Amino acid sequence: MVCEKDPLVQKITDLYDQISTLDSLKPSKDVNMLFTQLVLTCMPPTHIDVTKLCKKVQQMRSKLIRLCGEAEGLLETHFSTILASYDNPLHHLNIFPYYTNYLKLSQLEFNILTKHCSNVPNKVAFVGSGPLPLTSIVLASFHLKTTSFHNYDIDPSAKSKALRLVSSDPDLSRRMFFHTTDIMDVTNGLKEYDVVFLAALVGMDKDEKVRVVEHLAKYMNPGAVLMLRSAHGARGFLYPVVDPCDLRGFQVLSIFHPTDEVINSVIIARKFPMPKHCCAEHPVGPMKLPNKCFDIDMLNPLFNHVNLMEELDIEDQLS
């Protein structure tokens, strides 16, 4: 059990105390400084397992994740507005301070996806795309150049801001679609997608995340791929952690924990095919694995096609 006496937890708690007393989380000198310190504190490998925190620290962590989510949304809104002032917004994406991180994360997700999918997806959904849908933009621009992307967000202003970024681009304006819809209200429409990306901040706690995953499992097409973003170690103070055992209805294919400036872990899973004859002997649920399969080494990805794919492959672990 990890409690508030742990030096790392003490430092994170101190930063939380400062962040939680800010008048606003909009980008400013103080906001930027505190969140930069928080990210740098949480990035290095650590012994901490956020699932084993004492109750008081766990409550602080939950509040901190929500503050991080709010600040991230305000940061994206701020830069989306600036980008929209350009004639060609997509030519200026590098003004966003974390653009390089998105390039690396998208490369990582693309390489993981291509390892487990033999065909280029025709239609992709990104759930929780926000006002600055960089993952969809980067994947559509550099990796999946014929795929259509359907971006879902519950905030109407996110849709309008994101649309302004791609409307001047003759290619992406034809392949990028934006929906102001709660994904929990999308049912049979989910069957259209070969791949569904679930943003890290969709489902801010375990129960919310499980409800979303269960909904996707119910309506996604059998054999379709789910890409999720999670967090590992102290990075779990920044983003929700996805427990692979909660991915009911999906076969977990691979889990990757970066150790560089890319904060999010990546999980890829495939929707189980519906059995012809459902019976008690063959329930649809998460793949049962030995505990050691989830004691995953943190890996430092080298972002190229040769040696990026050093992530843990669960099927290899079991063979």
Side-chain angles (χ1 to χ4, degrees), residues 246-275:
D246 289 332
L247 301 182
R248 302 182 185 280
F250 292 93
Q251 177 190 13
V252 178
L253 302 175
S254 178
I255 303 170
F256 189 92
H257 295 313
T259 58
D260 63 357
E261 69 271 17
V262 176
I263 301 299
N264 291 119
S265 301
V266 178
I267 301 175
I268 182 171
R270 180 173 285 118
K271 168 77 179 289
F272 275 119
M274 294 300 292

Side-chain angles (χ1 to χ4, degrees), residues 36-48:
T36 297
Q37 288 182 16
L38 179 64
V39 170
L40 292 175
T41 299
C42 294
M43 275 179 56
T46 176
H47 64 285
I48 287 181

Side-chain angles (χ1 to χ4, degrees), residues 60-293:
M60 180 274 292
R61 171 180 170 260
S62 297
K63 294 175 184 177
L64 182 57
I65 288 174
R66 293 185 182 276
L67 290 172
C68 290
E70 182 182 349
E72 185 172 307
L74 291 169
L75 182 71
E76 290 184 0
T77 296
H78 175 76
F79 279 95
S80 183
T81 301
I82 294 174
L83 285 165
S85 67
Y86 292 100
D87 291 336
N88 295 293
L90 300 187
H91 295 175
H92 303 276
L93 294 177
N94 60 350
I95 70 169
F96 184 64
Y98 300 107
Y99 180 57
T100 301
N101 292 33
Y102 275 92
L103 289 175
K104 290 183 177 182
L105 178 57
S106 298
Q107 178 75 69
L108 167 62
E109 291 176 324
F110 172 70
N111 283 358
I112 292 173
L113 183 64
T114 54
K115 183 173 184 181
H116 295 283
C117 298
S118 56
N119 298 322
V120 175
N122 181 42
K123 294 179 71 174
V124 166
F126 194 97
V127 182
S129 51
L132 187 58
L134 283 175
T135 297
S136 292
I137 289 172
V138 171
L139 286 173
S141 300
F142 302 117
H143 304 298
L144 300 173
K145 298 182 179 181
T146 61
T147 303
S148 63
F149 287 78
H150 289 252
N151 300 279
Y152 289 86
D153 202 283
I154 59 175
D155 183 0
S157 67
K159 174 183 176 180
S160 61
K161 285 181 170 58
L163 196 55
R164 283 198 289 269
L165 300 182
V166 301
S167 59
S168 62
D169 187 90
D171 176 29
L172 295 196
S173 61
R174 294 184 298 103
R175 294 193 290 124
M176 299 273 284
F177 304 89
F178 298 92
H179 309 275
T180 304
T181 310
D182 188 334
I183 201 63
M184 300 297 285
D185 296 326
V186 182
T187 55
N188 291 330
L190 285 168
K191 298 185 186 302
E192 300 177 12
Y193 303 114
D194 305 305
V195 181
V196 175
F197 284 81
L198 187 63
L201 293 172
V202 175
M204 298 286 277
D205 61 31
K206 181 181 176 72
D207 291 340
E208 291 176 20
K209 187 79 72 175
V210 167
R211 282 195 295 272
V212 174
V213 169
E214 287 179 346
H215 179 79
L216 296 174
K218 182 176 181 181
Y219 290 106
M220 282 174 61
N221 216 32
V225 168
L226 177 62
M227 299 282 291
L228 306 97
R229 291 175 181 174
S230 181
H232 185 71
R235 298 170 186 223
F237 283 95
L238 307 174
Y239 290 102
V241 174
V242 177
D243 185 345
C245 294
D246 289 332
L247 301 182
R248 302 182 185 280
F250 292 93
Q251 177 190 13
V252 178
L253 302 175
S254 178
I255 303 170
F256 189 92
H257 295 313
T259 58
D260 63 357
E261 69 271 17
V262 176
I263 301 299
N264 291 119
S265 301
V266 178
I267 301 175
I268 182 171
R270 180 173 285 118
K271 168 77 179 289
F272 275 119
M274 294 300 292
K276 293 182 179 180
H277 302 287
C278 295
C279 60
E281 289 80 15
H282 301 285
V284 176
M287 186 166 53
K288 301 299 182 183
L289 298 169
N291 289 337
K292 66 179 181 180
C293 291

